[in-house]
Every structure is written in structure tokens, then in C-alpha cells.
Amino acid sequence: MNNLTKEQMEILFEVSKNLNLAEDISSVVEKSLDWIIKFLQVERAIFVKYLIDENDFTIISARNLKKETISDLHLFSSGILREIVKSKKPLLHHDIQSDPHFSQYESIQIHQIKSILGVPIFQSENLWGVILVDSHKNRINFTEDNLFFLEFFGSLISLALNKIIQIQNLKDEYEILSNRLGAIDEIPEIVGVSQKTKDLSRMIHKVAKTDATVLITGESGVGKELVANAIHKLSNRNTKPFIAQFCGSIPDSLLESELFGYKRGAFTGANTDKKGLFEIANEGTFFLDEIADI
């Protein structure tokens, strides 16, 4: 039975800590591959996702001994990757050049690959991708024990992958439900049952989720401030200030100081510091009513 060394356990422990915190699989795999390369003393390592519908691969992360990112999938053996996908089993080969079955692959000859370790990665029992390390120099660390270590590493990746995909699915479901609610949810302050009012409600729900600047147009009295206030209340900024300023009431000479404030002594009569409305509304929402009057 294979046993993990203390060094292997320490690496896997660090990997598991990082994976538990990861929200995006690619963000942590890069560092993990660097650890694998250093420990196994290999030249390169790659983690690919298998695109079953296209029968092809896409790189999640690929690294070399110098901690450089490799972006060209063709630098690795697609034949070996397909062998692992086909068998759904780990693959260890000390001298792949001497094996007639593998040495026929063009990529094996071009890149002079001598040794490989590869493990499949599963997500909910379905093959999701492959981790492959290879070397054209040192073969001393291509052992059954290190294959077991790589399998263990792959299992951690699989667990993290399941968690990340489940979280992403929940986020997607939340977005779908939010959009549906936005389409039917009425905004109490805005009265109306017409299709135009429903479209407006849907748009308010949609833009409220963002920090985008919104231009609200319409004749005087149609409720532009009600729309601005609704966007604020439905946003993540709703615990912060909502400031509404009628721009037509600000004289041109006071506009700059009213909006941006001033420091004491900036001009005659500036006896104290004054915060501008933009600063007061910081992290909240600032509604500039009739901004065209400026």
C-alpha cells in the first residue's frame, strides 16, 4: 500500500487550504502546479478540461520549472491526454520513447518526452479533465509512490471542483430567479400596470445590481427621482446615503463647491472645511436631478 511522505502531506495540506478558499478553479491550480513541479522535479505540468462535445481540450493552467505560464496546448501530447480520457485511469511511463504504442505520437518525438505521469480528474463521477506532468530529462521521480501522490492531489482538485461548480450553479439559479422576480415584482412607489411600467420595473431591478451610472430621462413630474430612489433601495448600496440634488437650484458660482466641497481658507469666507455632495453620498447613490440645467 502506498504511503505519503511528510513532505507530500505538507504540500497536500497547503493545496487543500488554498482549494477550500478558491472561488475559481484556475486561480489556485497555477500555484498548485508549481508545487507539483518543484516536488516531482519535472519540467512541466498541465491541467486541462476535457470538452466532451468537441472531443478536445482547453487549458485551465500549464506551468514550467521556471514558474512561467504555458498557453500553447500543442506543446503537450494530445495523444497521451486522450489515452487517459479513454481509459479513465492514471498513467505512468518511465521511458515512453521505447514503447511502440506511445512513441508513434508526433508530439512525443517532437518534444522528446521520456517520462509521464497523468491522472484523470472527475466531477460528480464524470471525467472533467486531466493533470499531466512530463519530463525529457530526469526520470528518477516517476514512481508509483509519486503517481499515488498525484492521484491524491487530483482527488483534492475534484472535491474543490465539485464545490466551485455547485456554488456557481447556485449563483446562476439566483440570477435566473432574480431576473424572473424583477420581471413581475412591482415597485411600491411606482404605480402602473401597463407593459411600459413593467418594462421599467424590470430595468430598475436589472441596473440596481450594478454600480453603473444611470441616465434617467423623462418629462418633469413623471417620477425620475422615484426611479433613482428605487434603484438605490434595490442595490447593495441601500444602507448608505441616498442624496438627491435639484441642479436647477444651484447657482453657477456655487456649483463646484456644492458638489465637491472645499478646504478652509480656499477662498474668502471659507472659514471651515465643507464636504461636497459627492463625498457625502460616498458608497451610496447621488441623484442629480435636472442635470441638463448645469
Side-chain angles (χ1 to χ4, degrees), residues 223-245:
K224 294 189 289 295
E225 185 171 345
L226 288 178
V227 171
N229 201 16
I231 291 172
H232 175 71
K233 288 180 178 178
L234 292 169
S235 74
N236 294 328
R237 305 179 304 277
N238 55 23
T239 59
K240 302 296 182 179
F242 173 77
I243 304 294
Q245 174 63 51

PDB file of all heavy atoms in Angstrom, residues 223-245:
ATOM      1  N   GLY A 223     -41.591  61.197 -12.411  1.00  0.00           N
ATOM      2  CA  GLY A 223     -41.106  60.355 -11.312  1.00  0.00           C
ATOM      3  C   GLY A 223     -39.682  59.890 -11.463  1.00  0.00           C
ATOM      4  O   GLY A 223     -39.337  58.767 -11.051  1.00  0.00           O
ATOM      5  N   LYS A 224     -38.829  60.742 -12.011  1.00  0.00           N
ATOM      6  CA  LYS A 224     -37.421  60.346 -12.183  1.00  0.00           C
ATOM      7  C   LYS A 224     -36.744  60.090 -10.833  1.00  0.00           C
ATOM      8  O   LYS A 224     -35.939  59.175 -10.694  1.00  0.00           O
ATOM      9  CB  LYS A 224     -36.666  61.424 -12.976  1.00  0.00           C
ATOM     10  CG  LYS A 224     -37.136  61.571 -14.423  1.00  0.00           C
ATOM     11  CD  LYS A 224     -36.244  62.479 -15.228  1.00  0.00           C
ATOM     12  CE  LYS A 224     -36.378  63.940 -14.837  1.00  0.00           C
ATOM     13  NZ  LYS A 224     -37.721  64.493 -15.120  1.00  0.00           N
ATOM     14  N   GLU A 225     -37.088  60.907  -9.821  1.00  0.00           N
ATOM     15  CA  GLU A 225     -36.481  60.696  -8.505  1.00  0.00           C
ATOM     16  C   GLU A 225     -36.984  59.391  -7.875  1.00  0.00           C
ATOM     17  O   GLU A 225     -36.233  58.711  -7.169  1.00  0.00           O
ATOM     18  CB  GLU A 225     -36.777  61.872  -7.577  1.00  0.00           C
ATOM     19  CG  GLU A 225     -36.061  61.750  -6.236  1.00  0.00           C
ATOM     20  CD  GLU A 225     -36.162  63.001  -5.373  1.00  0.00           C
ATOM     21  OE1 GLU A 225     -36.543  64.067  -5.907  1.00  0.00           O
ATOM     22  OE2 GLU A 225     -35.847  62.911  -4.177  1.00  0.00           O
ATOM     23  N   LEU A 226     -38.236  59.028  -8.137  1.00  0.00           N
ATOM     24  CA  LEU A 226     -38.763  57.748  -7.638  1.00  0.00           C
ATOM     25  C   LEU A 226     -37.975  56.580  -8.223  1.00  0.00           C
ATOM     26  O   LEU A 226     -37.667  55.600  -7.530  1.00  0.00           O
ATOM     27  CB  LEU A 226     -40.246  57.607  -8.009  1.00  0.00           C
ATOM     28  CG  LEU A 226     -41.244  58.484  -7.263  1.00  0.00           C
ATOM     29  CD1 LEU A 226     -42.653  58.244  -7.792  1.00  0.00           C
ATOM     30  CD2 LEU A 226     -41.192  58.212  -5.764  1.00  0.00           C
ATOM     31  N   VAL A 227     -37.636  56.692  -9.501  1.00  0.00           N
ATOM     32  CA  VAL A 227     -36.840  55.644 -10.153  1.00  0.00           C
ATOM     33  C   VAL A 227     -35.453  55.580  -9.535  1.00  0.00           C
ATOM     34  O   VAL A 227     -34.949  54.492  -9.216  1.00  0.00           O
ATOM     35  CB  VAL A 227     -36.740  55.907 -11.674  1.00  0.00           C
ATOM     36  CG1 VAL A 227     -35.738  54.951 -12.317  1.00  0.00           C
ATOM     37  CG2 VAL A 227     -38.112  55.748 -12.321  1.00  0.00           C
ATOM     38  N   ALA A 228     -34.820  56.742  -9.346  1.00  0.00           N
ATOM     39  CA  ALA A 228     -33.482  56.782  -8.738  1.00  0.00           C
ATOM     40  C   ALA A 228     -33.497  56.194  -7.339  1.00  0.00           C
ATOM     41  O   ALA A 228     -32.601  55.431  -6.953  1.00  0.00           O
ATOM     42  CB  ALA A 228     -32.970  58.224  -8.708  1.00  0.00           C
ATOM     43  N   ASN A 229     -34.527  56.531  -6.559  1.00  0.00           N
ATOM     44  CA  ASN A 229     -34.649  56.028  -5.190  1.00  0.00           C
ATOM     45  C   ASN A 229     -34.875  54.518  -5.191  1.00  0.00           C
ATOM     46  O   ASN A 229     -34.331  53.794  -4.347  1.00  0.00           O
ATOM     47  CB  ASN A 229     -35.807  56.741  -4.480  1.00  0.00           C
ATOM     48  CG  ASN A 229     -35.666  56.667  -2.971  1.00  0.00           C
ATOM     49  OD1 ASN A 229     -34.601  56.357  -2.460  1.00  0.00           O
ATOM     50  ND2 ASN A 229     -36.741  56.946  -2.267  1.00  0.00           N
ATOM     51  N   ALA A 230     -35.660  54.015  -6.149  1.00  0.00           N
ATOM     52  CA  ALA A 230     -35.912  52.570  -6.256  1.00  0.00           C
ATOM     53  C   ALA A 230     -34.623  51.827  -6.601  1.00  0.00           C
ATOM     54  O   ALA A 230     -34.344  50.753  -6.047  1.00  0.00           O
ATOM     55  CB  ALA A 230     -36.981  52.310  -7.312  1.00  0.00           C
ATOM     56  N   ILE A 231     -33.829  52.404  -7.508  1.00  0.00           N
ATOM     57  CA  ILE A 231     -32.543  51.789  -7.859  1.00  0.00           C
ATOM     58  C   ILE A 231     -31.656  51.700  -6.625  1.00  0.00           C
ATOM     59  O   ILE A 231     -31.019  50.667  -6.374  1.00  0.00           O
ATOM     60  CB  ILE A 231     -31.839  52.599  -8.978  1.00  0.00           C
ATOM     61  CG1 ILE A 231     -32.605  52.460 -10.299  1.00  0.00           C
ATOM     62  CG2 ILE A 231     -30.390  52.147  -9.147  1.00  0.00           C
ATOM     63  CD1 ILE A 231     -32.099  53.368 -11.394  1.00  0.00           C
ATOM     64  N   HIS A 232     -31.639  52.760  -5.832  1.00  0.00           N
ATOM     65  CA  HIS A 232     -30.825  52.766  -4.604  1.00  0.00           C
ATOM     66  C   HIS A 232     -31.305  51.706  -3.613  1.00  0.00           C
ATOM     67  O   HIS A 232     -30.502  50.952  -3.060  1.00  0.00           O
ATOM     68  CB  HIS A 232     -30.887  54.149  -3.956  1.00  0.00           C
ATOM     69  CG  HIS A 232     -30.187  54.224  -2.633  1.00  0.00           C
ATOM     70  ND1 HIS A 232     -28.811  54.179  -2.525  1.00  0.00           N
ATOM     71  CD2 HIS A 232     -30.668  54.320  -1.360  1.00  0.00           C
ATOM     72  CE1 HIS A 232     -28.471  54.242  -1.247  1.00  0.00           C
ATOM     73  NE2 HIS A 232     -29.585  54.335  -0.521  1.00  0.00           N
ATOM     74  N   LYS A 233     -32.606  51.643  -3.382  1.00  0.00           N
ATOM     75  CA  LYS A 233     -33.155  50.703  -2.396  1.00  0.00           C
ATOM     76  C   LYS A 233     -32.927  49.242  -2.786  1.00  0.00           C
ATOM     77  O   LYS A 233     -32.784  48.373  -1.918  1.00  0.00           O
ATOM     78  CB  LYS A 233     -34.652  50.954  -2.207  1.00  0.00           C
ATOM     79  CG  LYS A 233     -34.964  52.238  -1.443  1.00  0.00           C
ATOM     80  CD  LYS A 233     -36.471  52.429  -1.292  1.00  0.00           C
ATOM     81  CE  LYS A 233     -36.786  53.681  -0.481  1.00  0.00           C
ATOM     82  NZ  LYS A 233     -38.253  53.903  -0.359  1.00  0.00           N
ATOM     83  N   LEU A 234     -32.890  48.969  -4.086  1.00  0.00           N
ATOM     84  CA  LEU A 234     -32.710  47.590  -4.553  1.00  0.00           C
ATOM     85  C   LEU A 234     -31.236  47.220  -4.740  1.00  0.00           C
ATOM     86  O   LEU A 234     -30.913  46.081  -5.067  1.00  0.00           O
ATOM     87  CB  LEU A 234     -33.444  47.393  -5.883  1.00  0.00           C
ATOM     88  CG  LEU A 234     -34.974  47.440  -5.809  1.00  0.00           C
ATOM     89  CD1 LEU A 234     -35.572  47.505  -7.202  1.00  0.00           C
ATOM     90  CD2 LEU A 234     -35.514  46.222  -5.054  1.00  0.00           C
ATOM     91  N   SER A 235     -30.349  48.206  -4.532  1.00  0.00           N
ATOM     92  CA  SER A 235     -28.917  47.969  -4.747  1.00  0.00           C
ATOM     93  C   SER A 235     -28.232  47.502  -3.465  1.00  0.00           C
ATOM     94  O   SER A 235     -28.811  47.526  -2.372  1.00  0.00           O
ATOM     95  CB  SER A 235     -28.235  49.251  -5.238  1.00  0.00           C
ATOM     96  OG  SER A 235     -28.105  50.178  -4.166  1.00  0.00           O
ATOM     97  N   ASN A 236     -26.959  47.091  -3.617  1.00  0.00           N
ATOM     98  CA  ASN A 236     -26.146  46.730  -2.447  1.00  0.00           C
ATOM     99  C   ASN A 236     -25.711  47.962  -1.659  1.00  0.00           C
ATOM    100  O   ASN A 236     -25.095  47.832  -0.605  1.00  0.00           O
ATOM    101  CB  ASN A 236     -24.905  45.950  -2.900  1.00  0.00           C
ATOM    102  CG  ASN A 236     -25.258  44.607  -3.504  1.00  0.00           C
ATOM    103  OD1 ASN A 236     -26.238  43.991  -3.106  1.00  0.00           O
ATOM    104  ND2 ASN A 236     -24.485  44.156  -4.479  1.00  0.00           N
ATOM    105  N   ARG A 237     -26.025  49.142  -2.169  1.00  0.00           N
ATOM    106  CA  ARG A 237     -25.660  50.394  -1.509  1.00  0.00           C
ATOM    107  C   ARG A 237     -26.787  50.915  -0.620  1.00  0.00           C
ATOM    108  O   ARG A 237     -26.716  52.027  -0.104  1.00  0.00           O
ATOM    109  CB  ARG A 237     -25.317  51.462  -2.557  1.00  0.00           C
ATOM    110  CG  ARG A 237     -24.239  51.062  -3.557  1.00  0.00           C
ATOM    111  CD  ARG A 237     -23.973  52.165  -4.587  1.00  0.00           C
ATOM    112  NE  ARG A 237     -25.188  52.541  -5.294  1.00  0.00           N
ATOM    113  CZ  ARG A 237     -25.681  51.887  -6.339  1.00  0.00           C
ATOM    114  NH1 ARG A 237     -25.057  50.816  -6.796  1.00  0.00           N
ATOM    115  NH2 ARG A 237     -26.790  52.297  -6.922  1.00  0.00           N
ATOM    116  N   ASN A 238     -27.850  50.129  -0.439  1.00  0.00           N
ATOM    117  CA  ASN A 238     -29.068  50.650   0.203  1.00  0.00           C
ATOM    118  C   ASN A 238     -28.902  51.023   1.674  1.00  0.00           C
ATOM    119  O   ASN A 238     -29.768  51.677   2.241  1.00  0.00           O
ATOM    120  CB  ASN A 238     -30.228  49.665   0.032  1.00  0.00           C
ATOM    121  CG  ASN A 238     -29.894  48.275   0.549  1.00  0.00           C
ATOM    122  OD1 ASN A 238     -29.012  48.109   1.382  1.00  0.00           O
ATOM    123  ND2 ASN A 238     -30.589  47.275   0.042  1.00  0.00           N
ATOM    124  N   THR A 239     -27.808  50.608   2.301  1.00  0.00           N
ATOM    125  CA  THR A 239     -27.569  51.015   3.696  1.00  0.00           C
ATOM    126  C   THR A 239     -26.773  52.320   3.764  1.00  0.00           C
ATOM    127  O   THR A 239     -26.559  52.843   4.851  1.00  0.00           O
ATOM    128  CB  THR A 239     -26.802  49.923   4.463  1.00  0.00           C
ATOM    129  OG1 THR A 239     -25.551  49.676   3.813  1.00  0.00           O
ATOM    130  CG2 THR A 239     -27.617  48.633   4.508  1.00  0.00           C
ATOM    131  N   LYS A 240     -26.331  52.796   2.617  1.00  0.00           N
ATOM    132  CA  LYS A 240     -25.568  54.045   2.534  1.00  0.00           C
ATOM    133  C   LYS A 240     -26.492  55.184   2.085  1.00  0.00           C
ATOM    134  O   LYS A 240     -27.650  54.964   1.729  1.00  0.00           O
ATOM    135  CB  LYS A 240     -24.398  53.878   1.553  1.00  0.00           C
ATOM    136  CG  LYS A 240     -23.435  52.747   1.926  1.00  0.00           C
ATOM    137  CD  LYS A 240     -22.737  53.007   3.239  1.00  0.00           C
ATOM    138  CE  LYS A 240     -21.744  51.898   3.565  1.00  0.00           C
ATOM    139  NZ  LYS A 240     -21.038  52.149   4.841  1.00  0.00           N
ATOM    140  N   PRO A 241     -25.993  56.428   2.098  1.00  0.00           N
ATOM    141  CA  PRO A 241     -26.874  57.569   1.818  1.00  0.00           C
ATOM    142  C   PRO A 241     -27.440  57.593   0.402  1.00  0.00           C
ATOM    143  O   PRO A 241     -26.797  57.160  -0.555  1.00  0.00           O
ATOM    144  CB  PRO A 241     -25.961  58.788   2.035  1.00  0.00           C
ATOM    145  CG  PRO A 241     -24.802  58.286   2.821  1.00  0.00           C
ATOM    146  CD  PRO A 241     -24.629  56.858   2.454  1.00  0.00           C
ATOM    147  N   PHE A 242     -28.672  58.083   0.294  1.00  0.00           N
ATOM    148  CA  PHE A 242     -29.246  58.457  -0.998  1.00  0.00           C
ATOM    149  C   PHE A 242     -29.386  59.972  -0.993  1.00  0.00           C
ATOM    150  O   PHE A 242     -30.135  60.527  -0.176  1.00  0.00           O
ATOM    151  CB  PHE A 242     -30.606  57.795  -1.224  1.00  0.00           C
ATOM    152  CG  PHE A 242     -31.310  58.287  -2.469  1.00  0.00           C
ATOM    153  CD1 PHE A 242     -30.923  57.835  -3.720  1.00  0.00           C
ATOM    154  CD2 PHE A 242     -32.348  59.220  -2.387  1.00  0.00           C
ATOM    155  CE1 PHE A 242     -31.553  58.287  -4.878  1.00  0.00           C
ATOM    156  CE2 PHE A 242     -32.985  59.681  -3.528  1.00  0.00           C
ATOM    157  CZ  PHE A 242     -32.580  59.206  -4.779  1.00  0.00           C
ATOM    158  N   ILE A 243     -28.652  60.641  -1.847  1.00  0.00           N
ATOM    159  CA  ILE A 243     -28.659  62.103  -1.908  1.00  0.00           C
ATOM    160  C   ILE A 243     -29.276  62.540  -3.236  1.00  0.00           C
ATOM    161  O   ILE A 243     -28.857  62.072  -4.299  1.00  0.00           O
ATOM    162  CB  ILE A 243     -27.230  62.689  -1.798  1.00  0.00           C
ATOM    163  CG1 ILE A 243     -26.542  62.191  -0.524  1.00  0.00           C
ATOM    164  CG2 ILE A 243     -27.278  64.210  -1.850  1.00  0.00           C
ATOM    165  CD1 ILE A 243     -27.165  62.670   0.754  1.00  0.00           C
ATOM    166  N   ALA A 244     -30.283  63.384  -3.164  1.00  0.00           N
ATOM    167  CA  ALA A 244     -30.900  63.934  -4.372  1.00  0.00           C
ATOM    168  C   ALA A 244     -30.694  65.453  -4.378  1.00  0.00           C
ATOM    169  O   ALA A 244     -30.978  66.123  -3.384  1.00  0.00           O
ATOM    170  CB  ALA A 244     -32.386  63.602  -4.401  1.00  0.00           C
ATOM    171  N   GLN A 245     -30.199  65.966  -5.464  1.00  0.00           N
ATOM    172  CA  GLN A 245     -29.933  67.403  -5.573  1.00  0.00           C
ATOM    173  C   GLN A 245     -30.561  67.937  -6.860  1.00  0.00           C
ATOM    174  O   GLN A 245     -30.280  67.437  -7.955  1.00  0.00           O
ATOM    175  CB  GLN A 245     -28.436  67.687  -5.582  1.00  0.00           C
ATOM    176  CG  GLN A 245     -28.066  69.134  -5.831  1.00  0.00           C
ATOM    177  CD  GLN A 245     -28.586  70.065  -4.745  1.00  0.00           C
ATOM    178  OE1 GLN A 245     -28.369  69.812  -3.564  1.00  0.00           O
ATOM    179  NE2 GLN A 245     -29.288  71.132  -5.142  1.00  0.00           N
TER     180      GLN A 245
END
